[in-house]
Amino acid sequence: MMIFSLNIVLRGRIWHWRKAVPVALRSLIGKREWVQSLHTTDKAVARQRAHAVAMRVEKILSDAKRTASPENAAKAWKTAILREDLQDRISRPRSHSDLETESLVITDELEKATGAAARQPTPMNLARRDAFQEVLR
């Protein structure tokens, strides 16, 4: 069941927040859809947490729109994810095994984001290519 105004969806017994990433930002963000667990089975708690998640993600998306290069967008995304992870770790202690698993997942996501950003041509490279093609004509 989905509540459109809050973008929360029940997956199994856990509520998740989701939002489609705008097409223009998908290459910068590295995904078509942003889905984040709200870590609760309670719908009222999920609604409260959804607002905070939505604000964080909207800030990341607006920063990506302003960012001139994919490298800077990846760096902003990485910083936001690391900040969010730190807040989560402080608020909810976990075992060594849990921390190890989460560290591996974060590392994988950062590598994916960095790789996607690196594959995108920078505005400077596009301008150079266009200038070179103009000379060849």
Side-chain angles (χ1 to χ4, degrees):
M1 172 177 196
M2 180 182 290
I3 300 172
F4 290 101
S5 62
L6 294 178
N7 296 336
I8 62 174
V9 62
L10 188 61
R11 292 187 175 180
R13 295 183 58 218
I14 304 294
W15 287 97
H16 290 75
W17 180 88
R18 70 172 286 284
K19 177 180 176 69
V21 174
V23 174
L25 299 177
R26 289 179 183 174
S27 62
L28 295 174
I29 300 298
K31 49 179 118 180
R32 287 176 15 107
E33 180 179 59
W34 198 300
V35 179
Q36 185 168 337
S37 173
L38 298 171
H39 302 289
T40 185
T41 57
D42 186 323
K43 189 174 184 178
V45 173
R47 285 181 177 165
Q48 292 172 346
R49 292 179 183 175
H51 290 290
V53 170
M55 287 176 40
R56 281 194 305 265
V57 171
E58 287 302 326
K59 175 151 180 23
I60 291 168
L61 293 176
S62 68
D63 288 347
K65 285 179 190 175
R66 279 193 342 249
T67 305
S69 71
E71 293 83 6
N72 288 341
K75 189 183 295 184
W77 181 81
K78 173 183 164 183
T79 301
I81 292 297
L82 290 174
R83 185 175 292 119
E84 181 182 319
D85 179 63
L86 176 62
Q87 291 171 349
D88 183 49
R89 288 172 188 262
I90 291 169
S91 68
R92 156 177 91 84
R94 293 180 283 295
S95 71
H96 179 71
S97 172
D98 292 339
L99 292 174
E100 191 69 31
T101 301
E102 288 182 17
S103 294
L104 292 172
V105 169
I106 290 170
T107 301
D108 289 346
E109 289 298 318
L110 288 174
E111 287 173 359
K112 279 191 237 174
T114 304
R119 288 189 297 275
Q120 295 299 315
T122 64
M124 180 61 81
N125 287 342
L126 292 173
R128 286 180 184 149
R129 181 200 64 197
D130 294 344
F132 184 70
Q133 287 176 350
E134 192 65 35
V135 170
L136 292 178
R137 289 183 190 163

